[in-house]
Amino acid sequence: MPFNGRPKISSRTGTPAPSFPTTRMRRNRRTDWSRRLVAENQLSVDDLIWPVFVHAGDEPKVPIPSMPGVVRHSVEALVDAAGEAAALGIPMIAVFPHVEATLKDPEGSNAVDPDNVVCQAVRAIKAANLDIGVMCDAALDPFTSHGHDGLLRGEEILNDETVEVLVRQSLIQAEAGCDVISPSDMMDGRIHAIRTALDAAGHTHVQIMAYAAKYSSGFYGPFRDAVGSASTLGKGSKATYQMAPSNGDEALREVALDIAEGADMVMVKPGMPYLDIVRRVKDTFGVPTFAYQVSGEYAMLRAADERGWLDGDRVILESLMGFKRAGADGVLTYFAVEVAQRLRNG
């Protein structure tokens, strides 16, 4: 329809409604400086959390085949890696263990050993006086011989008994110097129990980032290779404690409970398939909200980049901007170091 020279009037506000050619949306996109000026979201190094893997062996870096470019660090090498991240301005690393099979048992006993590889790593990083936060996962799956996040009786994951172990695990991590405890187990009531125990032990400053909406997902496979739980879990399912991918309202109930129980920050995991949940959580609660760009997401992007199917430099940044646009205050991503380097270099 040809333009008749008269702008349309909004019936709601009584003001001229946007119309062509008076309004040209491309006008603000014409130059680089203008696009930057009107950008609604920004990605910065302050948005990045770097998940890292540590093992107790002497080999400095052990490659993880299903996650090209990602390694298991020795404790000493992890200190160096943390120093690199700190120098780039990355605010926090998240430490995950690879536990030797000989140390695994049905109860996950090594999880509560003050000299386990996680505690060794945390103490070493803190001794280096690096300006970076350290987050520790509270869950039993790297430590159990069955690969589940909780204690097992027959086919049942025991909730309350698992929480008792998670409390002990969180306390030794805090005593080692961990700044943020991040329960990823999805047991009911664990946030309240951990917060109460931390406060009673004098660790009132230790923060909790709850995996508040963690879905039973097929995107975790490479991570389970990295921590060594893939072979122990086998074809086992975590559907009785992790959330069903079909559910969104349930995620809001989970988040509400974790906040009420004392979580300082909440997380949605995985990331990309659940951006709608990130948006709903942020809009509903307005608390610090994070997303985990999980191992499967990393592996897909990395593999497509290596094969020339996607422009990796472009899609990695685009994927992270998607988290920001959805409302995430930060993202756990295995791309953190390379993204921080790119942001620094412009």
Side-chain angles (χ1 to χ4, degrees):
M1 179 182 296
F3 178 64
N4 62 14
R6 295 190 300 274
K8 297 178 180 178
I9 304 299
S10 168
S11 59
R12 184 173 62 85
T13 65
T15 58
S19 62
F20 177 83
T22 303
T23 299
R24 291 178 179 267
M25 296 300 291
R26 291 181 58 191
R27 198 177 282 132
N28 287 342
R29 304 173 192 151
R30 184 170 179 269
T31 59
D32 174 70
W33 62 261
S34 181
R35 291 191 295 271
R36 288 187 286 116
L37 190 65
V38 301
E40 298 174 27
N41 295 281
Q42 299 286 344
L43 178 68
S44 81
V45 69
D46 296 332
D47 300 316
L48 305 174
I49 299 172
W50 187 28
V52 293
F53 300 102
V54 63
H55 71 105
D58 295 326
E59 186 69 25
K61 296 181 179 181
V62 178
I64 301 166
S66 57
M67 300 179 70
V70 178
V71 301
R72 301 184 191 116
H73 298 86
S74 67
V75 171
E76 183 177 353
L78 184 58
V79 175
D80 293 337
E84 177 187 5
L88 289 167
I90 294 173
M92 185 162 68
I93 61 173
V95 179
F96 296 93
H98 178 269
V99 179
E100 294 298 324
T102 56
L103 295 175
K104 298 185 180 188
D105 60 31
E107 290 75 37
S109 303
N110 190 246
V112 297
D113 182 345
D115 199 38
N116 66 30
V117 69
V118 172
C119 293
Q120 290 180 40
V122 173
R123 286 193 292 267
I125 293 167
K126 289 302 176 180
N129 293 315
L130 302 174
D131 184 19
I132 194 166
V134 178
M135 184 166 83
C136 296
D137 200 55
L140 301 185
D141 52 323
F143 302 94
T144 56
S145 53
H146 46 71
H148 277 288
D149 299 50
L151 303 181
L152 191 62
R153 179 190 296 152
E155 298 298 319
E156 180 186 2
I157 304 296
L158 304 177
N159 190 93
D160 296 3
E161 293 86 346
T162 296
V163 170
E164 293 178 7
V165 181
L166 296 173
V167 167
R168 293 164 59 198
Q169 182 184 27
S170 300
L171 286 173
I172 66 165
Q173 291 173 345
E175 289 161 6
C178 185
D179 301 294
V180 180
I181 301 296
S182 195
S184 67
D185 55 287
M186 291 300 286
M187 297 297 118
D188 292 330
R190 86 276 203 216
I191 301 300
H192 172 74
I194 291 170
R195 181 75 272 164
T196 300
L198 289 172
D199 290 352
H203 298 300
T204 57
H205 60 286
V206 174
Q207 297 158 265
I208 294 179
M209 179 189 290
Y211 286 64
K214 181 178 180 180
Y215 285 83
S216 181
S217 170
F219 283 90
Y220 301 146
F223 176 90
R224 290 172 182 164
D225 290 339
V227 300
S229 65
S231 59
T232 52
L233 182 64
K235 296 185 180 299
S237 171
K238 300 189 177 186
T240 66
Y241 48 100
Q242 295 178 353
M243 289 182 54
S246 57
N247 293 359
D249 293 345
E250 182 185 7
L252 299 187
R253 295 182 64 192
E254 288 279 11
V255 172
L257 286 166
D258 283 358
I259 294 170
E261 291 178 18
D264 302 288
M265 301 168 277
V266 297
M267 184 201 304
V268 175
K269 180 182 181 182
M272 182 178 61
Y274 299 93
L275 292 179
D276 61 316
I277 305 301
V278 175
R279 180 78 269 166
R280 292 180 69 184
V281 169
K282 189 62 177 179
D283 287 347
T284 302
F285 301 102
V287 299
T289 302
F290 294 80
Y292 199 143
Q293 187 180 48
V294 297
S295 59
E297 298 173 65
Y298 171 88
M300 288 192 304
L301 293 177
R302 181 63 84 202
D305 178 33
E306 290 181 344
R307 287 160 176 76
W309 297 340
L310 291 174
D311 179 345
D313 288 345
R314 183 173 180 179
V315 297
I316 290 166
L317 291 179
E318 187 176 343
S319 68
L320 294 176
M321 186 60 77
F323 291 114
K324 292 292 294 181
R325 193 179 63 251
D329 295 288
V331 185
L332 288 84
T333 176
Y334 302 98
F335 294 115
V337 167
E338 63 184 271
V339 168
Q341 290 169 338
R342 289 179 59 191
L343 293 173
R344 183 180 64 179
N345 296 333

